[in-house]
Amino acid sequence: MDGLVFYDCATAPSPRRARMVIAEKGLTVEARQVDLRSGEHFFDAFRAINPRCTVPALDTGEGVVLTDNASIAAYLEAIRPDPPLLGVTPVEKALIAEWINRTEFEGLMGVAEAFRNSAPGFKGRALTGPDNYDQIPALAERGRARVAAFYPVLERRLADSPYLGGDQFSIADITAFVFVEFAARAGVEPEGDFPAMDEWRGAIRIRPSASA
């Protein structure tokens, strides 16, 4: 879509969520890669775009840059309502919002705690953003425990419903899918059998947006 510029990092989990929304919406946007490994997100040029020094970021072309997944998703849903990814009925909208929130707080935050507080590459960088924070090993252990507790929660929900928000694929599923994939990559995936989650994950993996 003319005027939209998406600031991305192909190896990071957070912008993957926005990429999947863009792909599901069938939008074509200008994508610019930000090399997190070289610290490009701290360079003055990118700070001028996003002072939070994070990706994703979406320049709307209207003098506004959106700098988190929630605002980007809301904006894309508004400019391209079809297919709906934030629900149609009041119950769908509420359930999708609930599962996005739960997955972010109970799942993604747990992986981030475990990974960023233990990986040598994040020494002194335990939190994203422009400020430095020391690693706290106890938070890494807590993060692993949070992920281990959240997997059964997802399993129970997906055993009862094909998707987290009900019968239709939504941004809640994108959020949870990225969480599960990130947990596996970060070595925080708990042991055990999760057949409903495995079936759901396999179904999402074959969607074109999963390869975006």
Side-chain angles (χ1 to χ4, degrees):
M1 180 170 286
D2 290 344
L4 294 182
V5 180
F6 178 60
Y7 294 89
D8 190 9
C9 177
T11 59
S14 189
R16 187 182 186 188
R17 293 168 60 186
R19 272 202 315 276
M20 289 183 69
V21 176
I22 291 168
E24 290 285 341
K25 291 293 186 181
L27 292 166
T28 300
V29 305
E30 179 185 347
R32 298 181 186 175
Q33 291 294 316
V34 180
D35 188 351
L36 302 185
R37 291 184 178 179
S38 70
E40 186 179 355
H41 48 314
F42 298 124
F43 294 177
D44 289 344
F46 187 69
R47 282 178 183 265
I49 295 163
N50 179 13
R52 297 175 68 189
C53 304
T54 56
V55 287
L58 181 71
D59 187 336
T60 65
E62 302 175 69
V64 174
V65 177
L66 305 173
T67 61
D68 64 58
N69 275 292
S71 61
I72 291 171
Y75 179 80
L76 296 177
E77 184 88 343
I79 65 170
R80 183 66 63 87
D82 189 42
L85 294 177
L86 287 171
V88 176
T89 70
V91 169
E92 285 175 349
K93 289 176 181 290
L95 284 173
I96 289 166
E98 178 177 315
W99 281 103
I100 291 171
N101 182 270
R102 290 196 68 176
T103 301
E104 288 179 340
F105 183 74
E106 299 176 44
L108 281 165
M109 191 177 293
V111 180
E113 277 188 345
F115 187 52
R116 295 189 71 100
N117 282 285
S118 62
F122 287 111
K123 186 176 182 180
R125 292 291 308 156
L127 293 174
T128 60
D131 301 313
N132 296 325
Y133 294 95
D134 290 335
Q135 292 175 322
I136 302 175
L139 289 182
E141 293 303 314
R142 187 181 74 175
R144 294 185 186 95
R146 293 175 72 184
V147 173
F150 188 55
Y151 261 63
V153 172
L154 279 182
E155 177 67 17
R156 287 192 295 271
R157 174 59 179 167
L158 292 169
D160 292 336
S161 176
Y163 297 106
L164 290 175
D167 293 332
Q168 303 299 320
F169 179 81
S170 74
I171 291 174
D173 299 288
I174 291 174
T175 305
F177 176 74
V178 170
F179 152 65
V180 172
E181 298 269 293
F182 180 34
R185 282 177 48 204
V188 190
E189 195 173 32
E191 297 180 358
D193 295 325
F194 303 96
M197 190 159 53
D198 289 343
E199 182 178 354
W200 162 87
R201 186 181 181 186
I204 296 177
R205 275 182 165 171
I206 64 175
R207 298 178 76 94
S209 64
S211 301

